[in-house]
Amino acid sequence: EDKVVQSPLSLVVHEGDTVTLNCSYEVTNFRSLLWYKQEKKAPTFLFMLTSSGIEKKSGRLSSILDKKELFSILNITATQTGDSAIYLCAVEAGGTGNQFYFGTGTSLTVIP
Amino acid sequence: SQTIHQWPATLVQPVGSPLSLECTVEGTSNPNLYWYRQAAGRGLQLLFYSVGIGQISSEVPQNLSASRPQDRQFILSSKKLLLSDSGFYLCAWSVDSAFFGQGTRLTVV
């Protein structure tokens, strides 16, 4: 059974802290791994990772994929209250329809 | 540029009533289209996906159905809603990554 598991389920940190969010997966026909940030409504796209060991960065956010160990991490440095959100990890599986399997998300709360 | 529209944003429906949520995509042709549901405290669950007009694949057996009458239109329906159908429904389309509509908050009372 294809699955995506995220940890921790929730996290509370203070502004300025650095956080690491984890995503492990077991998906056949892996194509890519994606990270999304969900605040009030629809998730917004952060990163797409397809190759192992290549870090993607956007400001204070960065992510890396390990296709051998089947996991990815999302790092957020110098956290701000605006980073409070649910962070979703999804894995795209190839084949007909290119299905996306989502984890349950990590709820991050940044306290001033 | 590609955009995706989903409506309505919120909906309150009585148990046993029908449902129709609509999603349209602009700026692309022959997209893969998806319906997801996000129940409270749970992740996004894939309900249906479609690779073309009239082609629907269902991921989980349930009270819902989907249709794709046009290339850029994807509809989620139910003949009789259940209380357990309450949740947040997201339409998405994909090229390389999935792009989401704004979602519909459905409350069945």
Side-chain angles (χ1 to χ4, degrees):
Chain A
E1 180 185 348
D2 296 321
K3 63 179 180 180
V4 176
V5 179
Q6 289 186 247
S7 63
L9 291 180
S10 64
L11 195 56
V12 181
V13 301
H14 289 93
E15 270 192 319
D17 288 349
T18 294
V19 298
T20 298
L21 310 182
N22 304 290
C23 176
S24 63
Y25 62 92
E26 293 178 27
V27 175
T28 55
N29 297 317
F30 173 91
R31 286 197 61 183
S32 64
L33 186 143
L34 306 103
W35 284 97
Y36 293 85
K37 179 182 181 181
Q38 185 175 23
E39 296 175 89
K40 294 182 179 178
K41 288 196 172 181
T44 54
F45 173 77
L46 294 175
F47 298 110
M48 182 173 73
L49 305 159
T50 56
S51 301
S52 280
I54 300 176
E55 185 182 51
K56 292 266 181 105
K57 289 198 72 172
S58 177
R60 296 176 294 101
L61 278 66
S62 64
S63 183
I64 197 163
L65 172 67
D66 187 328
K67 291 170 72 174
K68 181 179 178 183
E69 300 298 328
L70 307 182
F71 77 92
S72 173
I73 59 172
L74 175 69
N75 279 320
I76 308 175
T77 59
T79 52
Q80 303 171 358
T81 55
D83 295 327
S84 296
I86 296 174
Y87 290 84
L88 293 168
C89 172
V91 172
E92 180 188 11
T96 303
N98 287 9
Q99 299 180 46
F100 292 85
Y101 296 93
F102 283 83
T104 54
T106 293
S107 176
L108 174 65
T109 302
V110 182
I111 300 171
Chain B
S1 64
Q2 300 93 344
T3 57
I4 181 168
H5 302 281
Q6 183 182 343
W7 68 92
T10 59
L11 192 59
V12 180
Q13 292 283 104
V15 169
S17 63
L19 173 73
S20 180
L21 303 181
E22 189 161 344
C23 173
T24 59
V25 181
E26 297 176 1
T28 185
S29 59
N30 198 31
N32 292 332
L33 296 173
Y34 312 83
W35 278 110
Y36 289 90
R37 176 170 59 196
Q38 186 175 39
R42 299 176 61 183
L44 289 173
Q45 180 187 33
L46 179 63
L47 301 176
F48 301 96
Y49 70 93
S50 171
V51 298
I53 295 174
Q55 300 179 62
I56 308 295
S57 295
S58 175
E59 284 296 296
V60 292
Q62 57 206 322
N63 184 41
L64 302 169
S65 62
S67 62
R68 186 169 177 175
Q70 301 180 43
D71 180 46
R72 302 172 200 176
Q73 184 184 31
F74 205 22
I75 298 171
L76 183 68
S77 305
S78 173
K79 292 183 179 178
K80 288 185 179 182
L81 283 169
L82 306 172
L83 286 174
S84 58
D85 291 325
S86 293
F88 188 58
Y89 290 83
L90 284 163
C91 176
W93 72 278
S94 77
V95 176
D96 292 326
S97 61
F99 297 93
F100 293 89
Q102 289 304 297
T104 297
R105 174 74 60 190
L106 172 66
T107 304
V108 182
V109 296

